[in-house]
Amino acid sequence: MRVAADDAERALIWKGRKSAFAAVGRISPDYIVQDGVIPRTALPQVLRQIAELGERAGVRVANVFHAGDGNLHPLVLFDGGVPGAVDRAEEVAGGILDLCLEHGGSITGEHGVGADKAKHMPRMFTPDDLDTMQAVRCAFDPEGIANPGKVFPTPRLCGERPGRHRGAHPLAESGVAEVF
């Protein structure tokens, strides 16, 4: 453990944390970024279980997180050019969400539910919960123009694959964004 002695050291520690995703992009051609939350007291056990999930599937997982608030951002590493690698990575990514729920957490810590997590919502919410959320959404967006077809699970979305990231981000390549 390292505790920052001053603001300059604190900035360096955060720079290291914010550079983790770019660094992992250098060691794996593809990765799935997961986002879940757990009670802080469950962190050691969940990290062990994530390692076990990865070992059983033959998939590496780089754990990135901010433990102070329980947010996990495991990066499930794979090579999409290897037959079966995508399916194994997706299985591990879904298993990580299951672990979060088993330990009293959530399928999202701070980044929300996108198309990749929609199929996991019924693991956390009842059908009545989902109906209520959809009713609220419809109340604010009766024309269905705000991100249509996203967030709420339907049979159409259940087959969608989580987003894969390969190589440098296009904004970084174009010089618009900086990778720390």
Side-chain angles (χ1 to χ4, degrees):
M1 179 188 293
R2 179 176 170 190
V3 178
D6 55 31
D7 287 341
E9 280 191 23
R10 186 175 297 109
L12 285 173
I13 291 171
W14 272 110
K15 183 177 182 181
R17 159 56 178 88
K18 291 180 180 186
S19 299
F21 285 49
V24 168
R26 294 177 190 264
I27 64 171
S28 179
D30 301 292
Y31 59 91
I32 297 171
V33 179
Q34 200 48 281
D35 165 51
V37 69
I38 57 170
R40 293 179 307 240
T41 55
L43 184 64
Q45 184 177 3
V46 171
L47 290 178
R48 278 191 297 275
Q49 290 177 302
I50 288 173
E52 291 167 4
L53 275 174
E55 285 177 32
R56 281 194 304 268
V59 174
R60 294 181 300 163
V61 179
N63 283 297
V64 177
F65 50 87
H66 25 110
D69 58 8
N71 280 278
L72 304 180
H73 303 295
L75 304 173
V76 181
L77 312 178
F78 66 100
D79 182 344
V82 174
V86 174
D87 292 334
R88 287 191 307 275
E90 289 177 0
E91 182 180 320
V92 170
I96 290 169
L97 295 178
D98 289 339
L99 287 173
C100 291
L101 291 174
E102 288 169 20
H103 289 275
S106 169
I107 64 170
T108 182
E110 61 188 341
H111 297 288
V113 176
D116 61 321
K117 285 189 188 174
K119 64 185 174 188
H120 299 284
M121 287 182 71
R123 296 177 184 176
M124 184 171 170
F125 299 105
T126 68
D128 286 343
D129 292 334
L130 294 170
D131 288 345
T132 301
M133 288 182 228
Q134 184 65 49
V136 170
R137 178 183 179 147
C138 290
F140 286 97
D141 182 24
E143 302 299 319
I145 59 173
N147 213 4
K150 298 290 177 89
V151 180
F152 294 99
T154 66
R156 181 175 56 79
L157 292 177
C158 289
E160 287 188 0
R161 295 194 180 277
R164 294 175 33 198
H165 305 278
R166 185 173 189 90
H169 191 282
L171 291 176
E173 284 182 337
S174 68
V176 173
E178 180 181 353
V179 177
F180 294 98

